[in-house]
Amino acid sequence: MNKVTQPIRSKKKIDELLTYLKGKNYRDYMIAKIQLNTARRISDIIRLKVSDILKDDYTLKKYITIQEQKTKKISRIVINQSIQESIQDYIISQKMAYDDYLFKSRKGKNSPITTTQAHRIFQNAAQALNLENFGTHSLRKTWGYFCYQETHNIALIMDVYNHSSEKITLRYIGITQKDKDYMHMLIKF
């Protein structure tokens, strides 16, 4: 039986993952970095092009606009400072053209890696770092988990994920009984 992927619940573990990926392959690091900061599905991340990030004059756009492959809904995601600091360096160091995919496959002239390849990349990292129940949805879930820990704004997180109920979102981001217990112990009257 397949186990449900889980978010990473430790910032130290997130840093370890990013450091590991950056040491292995800059492209793989950037996939993780962008997924962590945008909360998008891997199928949407791998289809991003330079033109989705940069304007014609090669300056950064303020937003990434994505038509989600699964839902066909349009999402507009602000390019936060963490992505800003990394993305231009990545594009320049990889000598990318305006119409290039950000995460090119080694096969074909200008095609993105596949979700299967992204899965393999994350599985190898999970094995190397001893991350349990880690997969291509884990970083998307990690964003939601930390957003919830910071804001407790489940309605907004639910909207970002296009979920139909709070219960689905809480289960998706891996909120456990331990997290609920902590909140009950924290609030005292």
Side-chain angles (χ1 to χ4, degrees):
M1 184 170 115
N2 282 344
K3 293 199 174 190
V4 175
T5 59
Q6 293 294 316
I8 299 175
R9 293 177 175 86
S10 153
K11 289 202 176 184
K12 183 177 180 234
K13 278 288 186 192
I14 294 169
D15 289 341
E16 286 175 16
L17 173 68
L18 292 174
T19 300
Y20 172 82
L21 289 171
K22 194 170 191 178
K24 296 284 279 181
N25 185 303
Y26 200 7
R27 176 200 66 192
D28 301 347
Y29 161 77
M30 286 304 299
I31 291 169
K33 182 101 171 154
I34 289 179
Q35 191 177 28
L36 268 169
N37 283 280
T38 63
R40 299 295 100 200
R41 290 177 187 88
I42 198 70
S43 58
D44 295 325
I45 297 297
I46 62 173
R47 293 183 312 122
L48 288 172
K49 289 188 165 192
V50 171
S51 58
D52 293 319
I53 304 288
L54 300 180
K55 300 176 194 169
D56 314 21
D57 65 358
Y58 277 74
T59 58
L60 269 176
K61 291 181 177 180
K62 185 171 181 168
Y63 294 94
I64 301 170
T65 304
I66 296 174
Q67 180 175 13
E68 295 179 6
Q69 196 171 18
K70 183 177 178 181
T71 66
K72 303 299 181 219
K73 293 180 180 177
I74 302 290
S75 289
R76 216 171 140 219
I77 305 110
V78 70
I79 300 175
N80 70 22
Q81 188 176 356
S82 183
I83 298 172
Q84 289 172 16
E85 292 169 356
S86 306
I87 197 69
Q88 283 182 307
D89 179 56
Y90 172 69
I91 291 168
I92 291 165
S93 72
Q94 302 300 306
K95 298 177 175 72
M96 293 183 177
Y98 191 67
D99 287 327
D100 283 353
Y101 282 97
L102 283 175
F103 309 115
K104 288 186 198 179
S105 170
R106 291 186 183 100
K107 298 174 185 171
K109 187 172 167 76
N110 184 27
S111 56
I113 68 165
T114 63
T115 53
T116 302
Q117 182 60 25
H119 178 75
R120 270 191 226 112
I121 290 162
F122 286 165
Q123 286 304 296
N124 290 339
Q127 194 169 21
L129 298 172
N130 222 13
L131 296 171
E132 292 185 27
N133 303 326
F134 186 80
T136 55
H137 272 282
S138 292
L139 298 180
R140 177 174 156 86
K141 291 178 177 189
T142 299
W143 178 89
Y145 179 82
F146 279 94
C147 190
Y148 183 74
Q149 297 301 326
E150 271 304 303
T151 69
H152 296 285
N153 190 340
I154 196 64
L156 194 53
I157 298 166
M158 202 175 108
D159 187 53
V160 168
Y161 286 143
N162 291 315
H163 286 167
S164 58
S165 78
E166 290 180 6
K167 189 175 182 178
I168 290 169
T169 301
L170 289 168
R171 187 173 56 238
Y172 184 78
I173 63 176
I175 298 300
T176 63
Q177 185 61 48
K178 185 177 170 184
D179 295 311
K180 293 174 191 174
D181 293 348
Y182 175 75
M183 285 187 350
H184 283 285
M185 296 300 284
L186 188 66
I187 308 300
K188 301 174 193 120
F189 295 97

